[in-house]
Amino acid sequence: NEGCKTENKIRETFTKLEKEHISFLERCQNEKCPVKPIDYLACIQNQLTLQIRQYHNLYYAGWISCEDPACGYRTVRLPQSFASGYPLCRQCEKGVMFREYTEKDVYLQINFFLFLFDLNKNASKSKVAPQIVAAYQVLKEMVEDVLAHSAYSIINLSKLFRFFALDKKGGGK
């Protein structure tokens, strides 16, 4: 909000405040601020979208770096020489290069967002207002939509078992 200017960092769905668990949507992290973050749900949605795009941009930047910590070489260009299926470092010519941010990293980060906004997985003993539940549902659906468009979460079984051909003659001998 305009008056507080506190950046609320979300690390967990509920935080323990005195004897009760409170949602990050119910209270600003600045204790003097009377405004509830749920009043700015559209801003939270925009920030979530920007965060997800930032992680996608990290992945698509395609940075690779040398495994040798003494070398520290990093580039976006794929070297032409390979060893054991991995590109060799151009600078030290000993180490192999790996992606700095992999598709697995993106997938895990988006699943963490899904975990944050899924109230079924983050059940609290305290009662949650229907308005808060609806806000969590909106945020969860946003993340589910991103995951639904991700090819990483889809397994093509025909491609997975393409090397196991059926015997067309039907004789199991």
Side-chain angles (χ1 to χ4, degrees), residues 9-168:
K9 296 191 181 208
I10 304 164
R11 292 182 183 88
E12 53 193 347
T13 308
F14 293 96
T15 55
K16 191 170 184 177
L17 188 67
E18 292 157 20
K19 292 185 179 182
E20 63 180 345
H21 292 280
I22 191 163
S23 163
F24 72 88
L25 290 173
E26 295 179 85
R27 187 168 185 187
C28 180
Q29 289 179 356
N30 180 0
E31 294 179 11
K32 297 176 184 175
C33 180
V35 178
K36 295 179 179 182
I38 194 167
D39 297 336
Y40 291 91
L41 184 61
C43 291
I44 294 171
Q45 287 177 284
N46 289 339
Q47 286 298 317
L48 178 60
T49 302
L50 289 173
Q51 282 286 297
I52 291 172
R53 285 182 186 167
Q54 179 185 4
Y55 291 116
H56 278 114
N57 288 340
L58 272 174
Y59 170 72
Y60 284 113
W63 283 97
I64 55 175
S65 58
C66 182
E67 68 170 343
D68 185 3
C71 176
Y73 180 69
R74 62 190 294 254
T75 184
V76 292
R77 291 186 159 174
L78 192 63
Q80 297 297 317
S81 53
F82 285 77
S84 301
Y86 294 101
L88 277 175
C89 179
R90 289 182 189 166
Q91 190 164 348
C92 70
E93 296 179 355
K94 295 180 216 163
V96 293
M97 303 191 75
F98 293 103
R99 289 191 76 123
E100 289 183 2
Y101 200 76
T102 65
E103 57 275 352
K104 180 183 175 186
D105 296 331
V106 176
Y107 186 70
L108 286 174
Q109 182 62 52
I110 294 173
N111 269 313
F112 175 69
F113 287 141
L114 185 63
F115 175 77
L116 274 179
F117 304 128
D118 191 355
L119 286 179
N120 295 329
K121 293 181 181 173
N122 290 301
S124 175
K125 293 179 175 118
S126 62
K127 288 279 186 181
V128 181
Q131 181 186 15
I132 302 290
V133 173
Y136 272 109
Q137 188 62 32
V138 167
L139 295 170
K140 180 184 170 195
E141 287 172 3
M142 279 182 62
V143 177
E144 285 175 337
D145 187 48
V146 170
L147 277 175
H149 288 90
S150 169
Y152 193 77
S153 64
I154 299 170
I155 299 171
N156 185 347
L157 292 177
S158 62
K159 198 174 189 181
L160 184 65
F161 295 111
R162 69 181 176 269
F163 298 111
F164 300 105
L166 292 174
D167 186 10
K168 304 238 186 232

